[in-house]
Amino acid sequence: MRHTLPIAPQFYVTAPQPCPYLEGRMERKLFTALQGDMATKLNDYLSKQGFRRSQNVLYRPSCAECSACMSARIDVSKFTPSRSQRRVAKRAAHLNRRATSPWATEEQYDLFREYLDGRHATGGMADMDMFEFAAMVEETPIRSRLIEYTTDADLTAVCLTDILDDGLSMVYSFFDPASEKLSLGTYVILDHIAIARELGLPYVYLGYWVPGSPKMDYKAKYKGLEVYRSGEWTPVLDPADFQSDMHPLSTDPIAEQVARIHLPDGRT
């Protein structure tokens, strides 16, 4: 009997593990492989449905008893900088931007290590070596770029960025923790909004926003923020209106979640 590989992507669920954002909670992810000729189109489709890319995998939170994590993006047309964000842009205006291919260098890794040691010494990426860093950067089946920011000859910040059909997705960014006064994390987001405008792209995807998590509070400070919940993108007019939903019945069964995913060939 002849067997053929399935045309539609197959979805899987990770085993529960401690949540990095909310103490005492367990996280679980729904994921699928990103590969083949349809990788770019699949990434575009699923990014619009709350998924994120990590190397050759697309994933979305699918916790058993919690739906606090919401994919967030900025509607570029509705963004206006706050007074503090304008000050950040002015302070960091001397930085030079350079877009390169997703190819890891030792200079990038050294900055990455300084960033982790200074900001996330106990995080899940704290033990990443040069080979794992290179895999994170280089294993991409879609159109990705490394956006580097330099002061003279010194590398100051880096962002691994995917170029989608409707925006820029900031996969992972890191910067010099010693340059705290420059607010480099904020500046990189502001500059990606500028890049999106230059390219005529409507959105900048930021990853996940978790109301009640101090690690994620900064995302709610950008005007034009939208979050993906209940199958649609909803503007965040007042962050106080969005509370972490941790009721045991707040998430649908996995089979129902997968059945509602829209795929590039028109199937769900």
Side-chain angles (χ1 to χ4, degrees):
M1 180 180 295
R2 178 179 295 177
H3 296 276
T4 58
L5 293 174
I7 298 175
Q10 303 299 295
F11 290 87
Y12 307 91
V13 181
T14 62
Q17 58 184 3
C19 176
Y21 305 118
L22 298 174
E23 187 175 356
R25 310 299 298 186
M26 299 295 288
E27 73 165 0
R28 189 179 65 177
K29 294 184 177 73
L30 177 68
F31 71 96
T32 188
L34 186 62
Q35 58 190 2
D37 296 337
M38 293 291 289
T40 296
K41 187 170 287 189
L42 183 64
N43 189 51
D44 289 338
Y45 265 67
L46 295 193
S47 293
K48 297 183 182 75
Q49 298 172 69
F51 281 78
R52 295 283 291 170
R53 184 184 72 84
S54 177
Q55 295 174 235
N56 296 316
V57 169
L58 286 170
Y59 69 92
R60 186 173 73 184
S62 180
C63 303
E65 299 180 351
C66 179
S67 58
C69 295
M70 295 176 284
S71 186
R73 70 185 186 186
I74 296 171
D75 183 337
V76 173
S77 69
K78 297 179 180 178
F79 173 77
T80 54
S82 65
R83 182 179 300 177
S84 63
Q85 288 166 349
R86 287 196 297 269
R87 288 197 294 265
V88 169
K90 186 176 181 179
R91 285 198 301 268
H94 63 286
L95 295 178
N96 299 308
R97 179 212 301 163
R98 179 177 62 200
T100 70
S101 300
W103 186 259
T105 66
E106 291 186 7
E107 184 182 23
Q108 294 164 2
Y109 179 68
D110 290 342
L111 181 63
F112 175 72
R113 285 271 23 124
E114 291 177 14
Y115 172 74
L116 290 182
D117 294 342
R119 292 293 189 97
H120 304 286
T122 60
M125 304 174 75
D127 296 329
M128 283 182 65
D129 59 24
M130 178 63 189
F131 296 103
E132 292 168 320
F133 173 76
M136 180 181 75
V137 170
E138 298 172 10
E139 290 183 10
T140 170
I142 63 169
R143 188 182 178 194
S144 303
R145 295 290 184 271
L146 277 176
I147 312 297
E148 297 183 335
Y149 299 88
T150 60
T151 303
D152 297 327
D154 295 327
L155 186 63
T156 305
V158 178
C159 186
L160 176 60
T161 304
D162 288 346
I163 303 175
L164 311 179
D165 64 353
D166 72 340
L168 302 176
S169 178
M170 300 177 65
V171 177
Y172 191 79
S173 60
F174 53 95
F175 48 85
D176 180 6
S179 302
E180 187 173 353
K181 291 183 179 180
L182 289 179
S183 301
L184 290 170
T186 298
Y187 178 75
V188 171
I189 293 175
L190 294 175
D191 192 60
H192 273 68
I193 295 172
I195 297 172
R197 282 180 171 153
E198 293 167 8
L199 297 175
L201 296 172
Y203 301 108
V204 173
Y205 289 81
L206 298 180
Y208 294 104
W209 177 49
V210 186
S213 171
K215 294 181 180 179
M216 296 294 184
D217 282 348
Y218 72 92
K219 295 180 182 179
K221 298 178 181 179
Y222 293 87
K223 292 182 180 179
L225 188 72
E226 299 178 347
V227 293
Y228 189 81
R229 68 173 185 174
S230 301
E232 62 182 8
W233 289 96
T234 303
V236 179
L237 302 179
D238 185 354
D241 294 336
F242 293 78
Q243 301 298 321
S244 294
D245 194 344
M246 295 180 283
H247 190 276
L249 298 181
S250 65
T251 58
D252 295 324
I254 293 295
E256 293 182 16
Q257 294 181 39
V258 173
R260 289 196 296 269
I261 294 174
H262 299 282
L263 299 174
D265 59 4
R267 290 179 295 177
T268 57

mmCIF file of all heavy atoms in Angstrom, residues 149-178:
data_model
loop_
_atom_site.group_PDB
_atom_site.id
_atom_site.type_symbol
_atom_site.label_atom_id
_atom_site.label_comp_id
_atom_site.label_asym_id
_atom_site.label_seq_id
_atom_site.Cartn_x
_atom_site.Cartn_y
_atom_site.Cartn_z
ATOM 1 N N TYR A 149 21.899 47.625 15.328
ATOM 2 C CA TYR A 149 22.021 49.045 15.671
ATOM 3 C C TYR A 149 23.400 49.263 16.269
ATOM 4 O O TYR A 149 23.814 48.557 17.192
ATOM 5 C CB TYR A 149 20.933 49.444 16.673
ATOM 6 C CG TYR A 149 19.540 49.255 16.115
ATOM 7 C CD1 TYR A 149 18.877 48.031 16.251
ATOM 8 C CD2 TYR A 149 18.893 50.283 15.442
ATOM 9 C CE1 TYR A 149 17.604 47.848 15.728
ATOM 10 C CE2 TYR A 149 17.617 50.111 14.920
ATOM 11 C CZ TYR A 149 16.983 48.899 15.060
ATOM 12 O OH TYR A 149 15.729 48.720 14.535
ATOM 13 N N THR A 150 24.133 50.227 15.698
ATOM 14 C CA THR A 150 25.511 50.448 16.110
ATOM 15 C C THR A 150 25.757 51.900 16.491
ATOM 16 O O THR A 150 25.089 52.822 15.995
ATOM 17 C CB THR A 150 26.483 50.065 14.980
ATOM 18 O OG1 THR A 150 26.202 50.876 13.820
ATOM 19 C CG2 THR A 150 26.340 48.605 14.608
ATOM 20 N N THR A 151 26.720 52.078 17.390
ATOM 21 C CA THR A 151 27.254 53.395 17.713
ATOM 22 C C THR A 151 28.695 53.390 17.250
ATOM 23 O O THR A 151 29.521 52.669 17.815
ATOM 24 C CB THR A 151 27.198 53.672 19.224
ATOM 25 O OG1 THR A 151 25.853 53.552 19.662
ATOM 26 C CG2 THR A 151 27.702 55.058 19.551
ATOM 27 N N ASP A 152 28.991 54.171 16.222
ATOM 28 C CA ASP A 152 30.303 54.084 15.574
ATOM 29 C C ASP A 152 30.524 52.628 15.134
ATOM 30 O O ASP A 152 29.784 52.129 14.305
ATOM 31 C CB ASP A 152 31.400 54.573 16.521
ATOM 32 C CG ASP A 152 31.222 56.051 16.867
ATOM 33 O OD1 ASP A 152 30.737 56.797 16.003
ATOM 34 O OD2 ASP A 152 31.562 56.441 18.001
ATOM 35 N N ALA A 153 31.501 51.959 15.713
ATOM 36 C CA ALA A 153 31.763 50.573 15.310
ATOM 37 C C ALA A 153 31.225 49.562 16.310
ATOM 38 O O ALA A 153 31.408 48.354 16.135
ATOM 39 C CB ALA A 153 33.267 50.376 15.129
ATOM 40 N N ASP A 154 30.590 50.018 17.383
ATOM 41 C CA ASP A 154 30.149 49.127 18.449
ATOM 42 C C ASP A 154 28.705 48.668 18.224
ATOM 43 O O ASP A 154 27.795 49.481 18.021
ATOM 44 C CB ASP A 154 30.250 49.834 19.798
ATOM 45 C CG ASP A 154 31.692 50.155 20.162
ATOM 46 O OD1 ASP A 154 32.578 49.364 19.787
ATOM 47 O OD2 ASP A 154 31.920 51.191 20.812
ATOM 48 N N LEU A 155 28.492 47.363 18.308
ATOM 49 C CA LEU A 155 27.157 46.800 18.203
ATOM 50 C C LEU A 155 26.414 47.053 19.508
ATOM 51 O O LEU A 155 26.885 46.680 20.581
ATOM 52 C CB LEU A 155 27.243 45.299 17.911
ATOM 53 C CG LEU A 155 25.930 44.573 17.620
ATOM 54 C CD1 LEU A 155 25.289 45.118 16.346
ATOM 55 C CD2 LEU A 155 26.170 43.073 17.498
ATOM 56 N N THR A 156 25.237 47.665 19.422
ATOM 57 C CA THR A 156 24.497 48.085 20.611
ATOM 58 C C THR A 156 23.198 47.320 20.798
ATOM 59 O O THR A 156 22.787 47.040 21.926
ATOM 60 C CB THR A 156 24.190 49.593 20.543
ATOM 61 O OG1 THR A 156 25.416 50.304 20.359
ATOM 62 C CG2 THR A 156 23.516 50.084 21.806
ATOM 63 N N ALA A 157 22.523 46.981 19.710
ATOM 64 C CA ALA A 157 21.251 46.257 19.790
ATOM 65 C C ALA A 157 21.050 45.454 18.516
ATOM 66 O O ALA A 157 21.573 45.806 17.458
ATOM 67 C CB ALA A 157 20.087 47.225 20.000
ATOM 68 N N VAL A 158 20.274 44.361 18.644
ATOM 69 C CA VAL A 158 19.992 43.486 17.504
ATOM 70 C C VAL A 158 18.559 42.997 17.617
ATOM 71 O O VAL A 158 18.073 42.717 18.722
ATOM 72 C CB VAL A 158 20.942 42.260 17.474
ATOM 73 C CG1 VAL A 158 20.597 41.338 16.304
ATOM 74 C CG2 VAL A 158 22.399 42.698 17.394
ATOM 75 N N CYS A 159 17.884 42.876 16.486
ATOM 76 C CA CYS A 159 16.551 42.273 16.480
ATOM 77 C C CYS A 159 16.443 41.304 15.308
ATOM 78 O O CYS A 159 16.738 41.665 14.168
ATOM 79 C CB CYS A 159 15.468 43.341 16.374
ATOM 80 S SG CYS A 159 13.791 42.663 16.537
ATOM 81 N N LEU A 160 16.053 40.079 15.601
ATOM 82 C CA LEU A 160 15.741 39.101 14.568
ATOM 83 C C LEU A 160 14.303 39.364 14.145
ATOM 84 O O LEU A 160 13.376 39.268 14.956
ATOM 85 C CB LEU A 160 15.898 37.676 15.102
ATOM 86 C CG LEU A 160 15.508 36.544 14.151
ATOM 87 C CD1 LEU A 160 16.350 36.575 12.881
ATOM 88 C CD2 LEU A 160 15.626 35.189 14.848
ATOM 89 N N THR A 161 14.104 39.697 12.882
ATOM 90 C CA THR A 161 12.811 40.178 12.395
ATOM 91 C C THR A 161 12.350 39.382 11.184
ATOM 92 O O THR A 161 13.118 39.184 10.240
ATOM 93 C CB THR A 161 12.920 41.671 12.004
ATOM 94 O OG1 THR A 161 13.393 42.417 13.127
ATOM 95 C CG2 THR A 161 11.582 42.219 11.546
ATOM 96 N N ASP A 162 11.104 38.927 11.230
ATOM 97 C CA ASP A 162 10.497 38.270 10.072
ATOM 98 C C ASP A 162 9.696 39.304 9.288
ATOM 99 O O ASP A 162 9.020 40.162 9.872
ATOM 100 C CB ASP A 162 9.556 37.147 10.512
ATOM 101 C CG ASP A 162 10.304 35.943 11.061
ATOM 102 O OD1 ASP A 162 11.537 35.867 10.864
ATOM 103 O OD2 ASP A 162 9.656 35.081 11.684
ATOM 104 N N ILE A 163 9.740 39.187 7.966
ATOM 105 C CA ILE A 163 8.977 40.090 7.105
ATOM 106 C C ILE A 163 7.748 39.330 6.613
ATOM 107 O O ILE A 163 7.858 38.399 5.803
ATOM 108 C CB ILE A 163 9.834 40.588 5.932
ATOM 109 C CG1 ILE A 163 11.100 41.269 6.469
ATOM 110 C CG2 ILE A 163 9.027 41.559 5.058
ATOM 111 C CD1 ILE A 163 12.080 41.688 5.399
ATOM 112 N N LEU A 164 6.581 39.710 7.107
ATOM 113 C CA LEU A 164 5.320 39.076 6.744
ATOM 114 C C LEU A 164 4.659 39.859 5.615
ATOM 115 O O LEU A 164 5.106 40.943 5.248
ATOM 116 C CB LEU A 164 4.388 39.028 7.960
ATOM 117 C CG LEU A 164 4.977 38.489 9.268
ATOM 118 C CD1 LEU A 164 3.929 38.541 10.371
ATOM 119 C CD2 LEU A 164 5.499 37.077 9.096
ATOM 120 N N ASP A 165 3.567 39.318 5.090
ATOM 121 C CA ASP A 165 2.877 40.032 4.024
ATOM 122 C C ASP A 165 2.102 41.241 4.533
ATOM 123 O O ASP A 165 1.711 42.108 3.757
ATOM 124 C CB ASP A 165 1.962 39.099 3.232
ATOM 125 C CG ASP A 165 0.820 38.530 4.073
ATOM 126 O OD1 ASP A 165 0.802 38.743 5.309
ATOM 127 O OD2 ASP A 165 -0.059 37.860 3.497
ATOM 128 N N ASP A 166 1.901 41.319 5.865
ATOM 129 C CA ASP A 166 1.180 42.463 6.418
ATOM 130 C C ASP A 166 1.940 43.170 7.540
ATOM 131 O O ASP A 166 1.369 43.960 8.277
ATOM 132 C CB ASP A 166 -0.203 42.046 6.916
ATOM 133 C CG ASP A 166 -0.150 41.210 8.193
ATOM 134 O OD1 ASP A 166 0.939 40.639 8.488
ATOM 135 O OD2 ASP A 166 -1.169 41.123 8.893
ATOM 136 N N GLY A 167 3.221 42.875 7.683
ATOM 137 C CA GLY A 167 3.950 43.567 8.738
ATOM 138 C C GLY A 167 5.303 42.967 9.056
ATOM 139 O O GLY A 167 5.794 42.072 8.352
ATOM 140 N N LEU A 168 5.878 43.470 10.133
ATOM 141 C CA LEU A 168 7.149 42.980 10.653
ATOM 142 C C LEU A 168 6.887 42.246 11.960
ATOM 143 O O LEU A 168 6.154 42.745 12.825
ATOM 144 C CB LEU A 168 8.108 44.148 10.916
ATOM 145 C CG LEU A 168 8.443 45.047 9.727
ATOM 146 C CD1 LEU A 168 9.323 46.209 10.184
ATOM 147 C CD2 LEU A 168 9.134 44.257 8.620
ATOM 148 N N SER A 169 7.477 41.078 12.108
ATOM 149 C CA SER A 169 7.337 40.318 13.336
ATOM 150 C C SER A 169 8.676 40.310 14.066
ATOM 151 O O SER A 169 9.672 39.790 13.557
ATOM 152 C CB SER A 169 6.908 38.879 13.027
ATOM 153 O OG SER A 169 6.814 38.119 14.223
ATOM 154 N N MET A 170 8.698 40.916 15.254
ATOM 155 C CA MET A 170 9.922 40.981 16.050
ATOM 156 C C MET A 170 10.072 39.669 16.813
ATOM 157 O O MET A 170 9.503 39.469 17.879
ATOM 158 C CB MET A 170 9.853 42.184 16.996
ATOM 159 C CG MET A 170 9.714 43.514 16.264
ATOM 160 S SD MET A 170 9.554 44.951 17.358
ATOM 161 C CE MET A 170 11.172 44.948 18.174
ATOM 162 N N VAL A 171 10.860 38.769 16.245
ATOM 163 C CA VAL A 171 11.010 37.429 16.801
ATOM 164 C C VAL A 171 11.763 37.476 18.125
ATOM 165 O O VAL A 171 11.334 36.896 19.130
ATOM 166 C CB VAL A 171 11.729 36.507 15.803
ATOM 167 C CG1 VAL A 171 11.950 35.122 16.411
ATOM 168 C CG2 VAL A 171 10.933 36.402 14.515
ATOM 169 N N TYR A 172 12.903 38.155 18.144
ATOM 170 C CA TYR A 172 13.673 38.270 19.390
ATOM 171 C C TYR A 172 14.634 39.442 19.269
ATOM 172 O O TYR A 172 15.284 39.621 18.232
ATOM 173 C CB TYR A 172 14.469 36.991 19.671
ATOM 174 C CG TYR A 172 15.053 36.963 21.068
ATOM 175 C CD1 TYR A 172 14.249 36.632 22.160
ATOM 176 C CD2 TYR A 172 16.378 37.288 21.301
ATOM 177 C CE1 TYR A 172 14.761 36.632 23.451
ATOM 178 C CE2 TYR A 172 16.895 37.287 22.589
ATOM 179 C CZ TYR A 172 16.081 36.961 23.662
ATOM 180 O OH TYR A 172 16.593 36.968 24.925
ATOM 181 N N SER A 173 14.711 40.247 20.312
ATOM 182 C CA SER A 173 15.644 41.374 20.319
ATOM 183 C C SER A 173 16.474 41.352 21.591
ATOM 184 O O SER A 173 16.040 40.840 22.628
ATOM 185 C CB SER A 173 14.889 42.707 20.208
ATOM 186 O OG SER A 173 13.998 42.885 21.286
ATOM 187 N N PHE A 174 17.681 41.888 21.498
ATOM 188 C CA PHE A 174 18.561 41.993 22.657
ATOM 189 C C PHE A 174 19.459 43.209 22.463
ATOM 190 O O PHE A 174 19.640 43.696 21.343
ATOM 191 C CB PHE A 174 19.386 40.716 22.858
ATOM 192 C CG PHE A 174 20.146 40.258 21.643
ATOM 193 C CD1 PHE A 174 21.484 40.609 21.460
ATOM 194 C CD2 PHE A 174 19.537 39.461 20.685
ATOM 195 C CE1 PHE A 174 22.197 40.184 20.350
ATOM 196 C CE2 PHE A 174 20.241 39.030 19.561
ATOM 197 C CZ PHE A 174 21.571 39.385 19.393
ATOM 198 N N PHE A 175 19.994 43.705 23.570
ATOM 199 C CA PHE A 175 20.742 44.957 23.508
ATOM 200 C C PHE A 175 21.719 45.054 24.672
ATOM 201 O O PHE A 175 21.695 44.217 25.596
ATOM 202 C CB PHE A 175 19.786 46.153 23.511
ATOM 203 C CG PHE A 175 18.724 46.076 24.588
ATOM 204 C CD1 PHE A 175 18.969 46.505 25.878
ATOM 205 C CD2 PHE A 175 17.466 45.559 24.293
ATOM 206 C CE1 PHE A 175 18.006 46.421 26.864
ATOM 207 C CE2 PHE A 175 16.487 45.473 25.276
ATOM 208 C CZ PHE A 175 16.761 45.917 26.560
ATOM 209 N N ASP A 176 22.538 46.068 24.620
ATOM 210 C CA ASP A 176 23.553 46.308 25.648
ATOM 211 C C ASP A 176 22.872 46.736 26.946
ATOM 212 O O ASP A 176 22.298 47.824 27.014
ATOM 213 C CB ASP A 176 24.510 47.402 25.166
ATOM 214 C CG ASP A 176 25.607 47.707 26.183
ATOM 215 O OD1 ASP A 176 25.686 47.001 27.206
ATOM 216 O OD2 ASP A 176 26.361 48.666 25.944
ATOM 217 N N PRO A 177 22.907 45.915 27.995
ATOM 218 C CA PRO A 177 22.239 46.281 29.252
ATOM 219 C C PRO A 177 22.907 47.461 29.955
ATOM 220 O O PRO A 177 22.286 48.098 30.816
ATOM 221 C CB PRO A 177 22.339 45.006 30.093
ATOM 222 C CG PRO A 177 23.533 44.298 29.556
ATOM 223 C CD PRO A 177 23.574 44.605 28.087
ATOM 224 N N ALA A 178 24.142 47.774 29.576
ATOM 225 C CA ALA A 178 24.839 48.903 30.206
ATOM 226 C C ALA A 178 24.344 50.243 29.661
ATOM 227 O O ALA A 178 24.607 51.289 30.267
ATOM 228 C CB ALA A 178 26.353 48.773 29.989
#
